[in-house]
Amino acid sequence: MNRQAVIPTVAAAFAAAAAAVLLGLRVESAISLARPLLVVTSGAEEEAILGVLRAMDGQAYVDTARIPFAATYYNWAFYDLYAAFIRMVLAMFGLGIDWATTAGRFLSLLATFACGLVASAAITRVAPGCSVPVRLHNAALTAWLSIGPLVGYWAISINVELWAHLCTMAAMLVMMIAYERNRLGAVAAASLLSLAAWSFKQSYIFAPMAMGLFLLIRRDWRGIALAVVLHLAGLAATLGFGSPEYRAMMLAWRGSDFALWQLSRNLLNVGVKILPVAVAAALAAPLMLNRRALAADTPLLLGLCGLIATAPIIPAAAKVGAAENYFFPLVFFLALLGARGVAELDRRHWPRLPSLVLAAAWGAEMVACALVIGGVTGSNGVSHLDRRYGEQRPCVAQLPSPMYAFDPYLALPWMHADGPYFVLAYQYAMERAAGRSFERGGIGGLVGEGYFASVVLPTGMPAEIDGTPLAERYRLDRRGCAGLDIYLRAGN
């Protein structure tokens, strides 16, 4: 091994190992085979969980303007897959519904593992037959993509992102492997995988955009025509067979708010977590100058086309509620360029300055992971949530229904068995502020008419919900029950 290759390669290996330890801590805190843990691992996970539970009962999609003002924001494949898997696991082992999230987290881990395999195969295609240090570095790069801090808790969250991301990567891998041998066959297979990605999350149009740009550069008009026909047919069939509530979900983004502070925070968080990937990709920049060689290099060209196709993710990350998961496909394509960049570094016998810069980037990531592992910064587990909800469950389990809880987790069926389950749509407050009409005046209207038999607020929170005070219809029954104030309808 080239002596100057040792430092960046070892630094990458240590950073990947630190990421694996951190993920292990997080998995241990969120999954137990002894009992179902009461935790959430990503923003609005309660909403996704309840959507899966509705899918298990046969009706995932609902009207967000009607009681209980819930939403099903993702596409059908996510809910159907998790509902089928969870139903199978619970039936196989005779488990209750409180084990649903545990079963779902194992399915998410499966997606994490599959993403690693596909990413590894794609990176190998971009940088084939390279030296030992390049192969070792690419192994660390693959680990960083699949279990690194950018993925974080999404590796175990009941969330759509990894499955949509997996199908997108698989579509690109098929093009890399098969396009030169069977162009139309590769386009057809990649188009089906692209439709699968969209079927999980409707914003995942990155594969067809990347493939379309690639085919346009190659002037493959038959391939473009086939891709267009297959995508239009797939979308038309799905929308045609979908319910009115399903089709309305496609336009739910119109109720979103966008903010510069959200974009700034996301860019900062992502930038910190992908530093070595960006450095490695920068090493491939000189290869982009030779247009003829680039156009003939299928893996590298697909990587560049994918990076261009995912550029709209950056402004989209200004959506309030967006997080680092939005950047998964962009970083994948950046890593493809990074793999070739490191191969180029190896071809030049690992010059000192770029090798040290790459090593420093990996070293910084190793230190950052170590700080989170040590509890200095960030989050290394969610055990505290299990303790909190375990203490709060007796406070809410027997409350009269309908119950409204400010914390949506308390409304899940293993916390309070009787429905309706008021896990409000993430965009509920935004849409209320924008003047959208909700059944019976929304939550505020229901509070005003005394609809809820019980209301649960964090201790010390003002006794007002959705602009409506509780005083006229409710009385404080218990204060400070595991950090909760319990209100009952007057007369109960």
Side-chain angles (χ1 to χ4, degrees):
M1 182 183 293
N2 187 313
R3 291 176 60 185
Q4 292 189 176
V6 171
I7 296 177
T9 304
V10 170
F14 273 101
V21 171
L22 178 56
L23 178 61
L25 291 175
R26 289 169 168 173
V27 170
E28 189 274 334
S29 73
I31 300 176
S32 171
L33 296 180
R35 63 179 179 86
L37 300 182
L38 309 176
V39 299
V40 290
T41 57
S42 62
E45 188 181 32
E46 303 95 334
E47 185 176 74
I49 291 169
L50 198 58
V52 170
L53 296 181
R54 286 196 298 268
M56 291 173 66
D57 291 332
Q59 183 60 44
Y61 294 95
V62 292
D63 186 343
T64 59
R66 299 184 64 82
I67 295 171
F69 316 121
T72 314
Y73 287 130
Y74 301 135
N75 217 338
W76 66 270
F78 166 69
Y79 299 104
D80 285 0
L81 174 64
Y82 274 80
F85 181 82
I86 291 171
R87 188 186 300 113
M88 178 190 70
V89 171
L90 298 189
M92 184 180 302
F93 296 100
L95 301 173
I97 196 63
D98 52 344
W99 283 94
T101 54
T102 302
R105 297 197 196 289
F106 279 106
L107 185 57
S108 297
L109 278 174
L110 178 62
T112 303
F113 178 72
C115 282
L117 291 179
V118 174
S120 176
I123 285 173
T124 300
R125 284 279 164 177
V126 174
C130 292
S131 66
V132 171
V134 173
R135 291 199 298 271
L136 292 176
H137 183 276
N138 286 345
L141 183 61
T142 298
W144 199 253
L145 284 178
S146 55
I147 63 171
L150 180 67
V151 174
Y153 282 107
W154 276 280
I156 50 175
S157 176
I158 297 177
N159 188 279
V160 68
E161 207 75 38
L162 285 178
W163 289 100
H165 181 46
L166 172 65
C167 295
T168 297
M169 291 193 296
M172 295 298 99
L173 179 60
V174 165
M175 289 292 289
M176 291 181 192
I177 293 173
Y179 181 75
E180 299 300 340
R181 296 198 305 267
N182 183 351
R183 295 191 171 190
L184 291 182
V187 170
S191 295
L192 294 177
L193 287 166
S194 166
L195 284 167
W198 178 84
S199 297
F200 279 101
K201 191 175 182 182
Q202 58 273 23
S203 63
Y204 264 71
I205 57 173
F206 311 116
M209 289 173 64
M211 184 167 57
L213 184 57
F214 171 84
L215 295 173
L216 185 62
I217 292 172
R218 289 291 184 89
R219 298 182 181 180
D220 185 350
W221 311 121
R222 291 197 303 165
I224 291 175
L226 178 60
V228 168
V229 168
L230 289 175
H231 280 89
L232 288 179
L235 297 183
T238 303
L239 294 175
F241 284 108
S243 66
E245 292 81 8
Y246 170 76
R247 288 191 291 271
M249 176 273 301
M250 291 292 172
L251 300 176
W253 59 270
R254 294 183 302 175
S256 302
D257 287 343
F258 293 83
L260 185 60
W261 64 264
Q262 183 75 77
L263 176 62
S264 300
R265 188 174 74 176
N266 285 332
L267 289 177
L268 178 62
N269 289 343
V270 169
V272 169
K273 296 174 181 179
I274 67 165
L275 188 58
V277 182
V279 170
L283 298 173
L287 300 176
M288 308 301 161
L289 302 178
N290 188 337
R291 294 184 180 182
R292 180 171 297 181
L294 175 61
D297 190 330
T298 295
L300 186 61
L301 182 59
L302 279 168
L304 179 60
C305 291
L307 191 61
I308 295 170
T310 54
I313 288 173
I314 297 175
K319 178 178 177 291
V320 174
E324 295 96 311
N325 57 312
Y326 275 43
F327 289 83
F328 288 174
L330 187 153
V331 175
F332 165 69
F333 288 112
L334 197 65
L336 294 183
L337 301 184
R340 182 61 68 85
V342 173
E344 180 67 9
L345 190 68
D346 183 71
R347 189 187 66 81
R348 296 163 50 204
H349 305 293
W350 298 85
R352 182 183 299 275
L353 181 58
S355 298
L356 289 178
V357 171
L358 182 61
W362 281 115
E365 299 290 14
M366 180 188 65
V367 171
C369 286
L371 291 174
V372 179
I373 291 169
V376 177
T377 187
S379 169
N380 61 16
V382 290
S383 298
H384 63 288
L385 294 179
D386 181 58
R387 290 191 295 270
R388 180 208 300 172
Y389 290 131
E391 293 170 356
Q392 291 179 345
R393 181 157 56 179
C395 301
V396 302
Q398 302 303 320
L399 290 179
S401 294
M403 181 194 80
Y404 173 78
F406 184 80
D407 183 343
Y409 192 87
L410 301 177
L412 292 176
W414 44 88
M415 299 296 289
H416 183 263
D418 296 329
Y421 304 109
F422 281 84
V423 176
L424 299 185
Y426 179 80
Q427 294 181 175
Y428 172 82
M430 303 178 207
E431 294 181 358
R432 283 278 281 170
R436 183 184 181 189
S437 176
F438 287 84
E439 182 182 5
R440 292 164 69 175
I443 295 295
L446 295 180
V447 169
E449 68 182 55
Y451 169 87
F452 297 106
S454 54
V455 175
V456 182
L457 302 180
T459 295
M461 178 177 171
E464 179 180 291
I465 299 174
D466 205 16
T468 303
L470 298 178
E472 293 185 7
R473 296 284 187 173
Y474 297 89
R475 60 179 175 81
L476 180 62
D477 182 68
R478 278 175 288 169
R479 182 183 297 278
C481 182
L484 301 174
D485 289 346
I486 312 295
Y487 294 83
L488 296 181
R489 187 166 49 205
N492 282 12

